Amino acid sequence: MLFLAGLVVNSFAIWLAAEVVAGIGLRLPGESTAANALFVIAIGLVFTLINMLVKPVVKLLTLPLIILTLGLFLLVINALMLMLTSWATSYLDFGLVVSGFWAAFFGAIIIALVNLILGMIIPTKSR
């Protein structure tokens, strides 16, 4: 259940980042709003899986840099995870389009803020 809540929060955060940040877009082939919502959830699933599998390894490998920058390097890691999601979905008919690092960086800030705010309302992790 917590995985589904995290998936919904990540999907909404990606959609909002695509709406707000100029260099981020969504490739949605659906004809209706419901079909497009399912494609956004599928993109959120890819992003959630990348965050579950790849991000812990990257955080462990860059731990000295995270400590040195007092945690600000985590924004760079989040931007890289967003770019990795863009690359992973580029082979599908739908996907996330990120035009560059700075677009991914600002999108990562939006996603982190949405996860923070909605994480207070909807529990996405076991405490």
Side-chain angles (χ1 to χ4, degrees):
M1 194 63 165
L2 293 176
F3 176 77
L4 290 177
L7 174 63
V8 169
V9 169
N10 277 334
S11 299
F12 176 74
I14 288 173
W15 173 80
L16 187 64
E19 291 294 318
V20 172
V21 179
I24 298 178
L26 296 172
R27 257 189 356 261
L28 301 173
E31 297 290 325
S32 66
T33 305
N36 286 337
L38 288 176
F39 285 120
V40 170
I41 290 174
I43 294 168
L45 177 65
V46 172
F47 182 69
T48 302
L49 290 175
I50 286 174
N51 277 339
M52 286 175 53
L53 300 174
V54 178
K55 190 175 180 179
V57 175
V58 173
K59 283 171 66 173
L60 181 65
L61 293 175
T62 60
L63 187 62
L65 198 53
I66 293 170
I67 293 170
L68 184 66
T69 61
L70 301 175
L72 290 177
F73 193 71
L74 289 171
L75 289 173
V76 174
I77 293 173
N78 288 340
L80 293 175
M81 295 304 113
L82 201 59
M83 292 177 77
L84 185 60
T85 302
S86 174
W87 173 79
T89 59
S90 67
Y91 297 103
L92 304 171
D93 291 336
F94 60 93
L96 181 68
V97 179
V98 178
S99 64
F101 174 77
W102 290 111
F105 184 78
F106 293 122
I109 291 173
I110 298 289
I111 291 172
L113 288 174
V114 168
N115 278 320
L116 176 72
I117 293 168
L118 289 182
M120 291 179 195
I121 299 168
I122 304 168
T124 57
K125 296 179 184 173
S126 61
R127 304 213 192 246

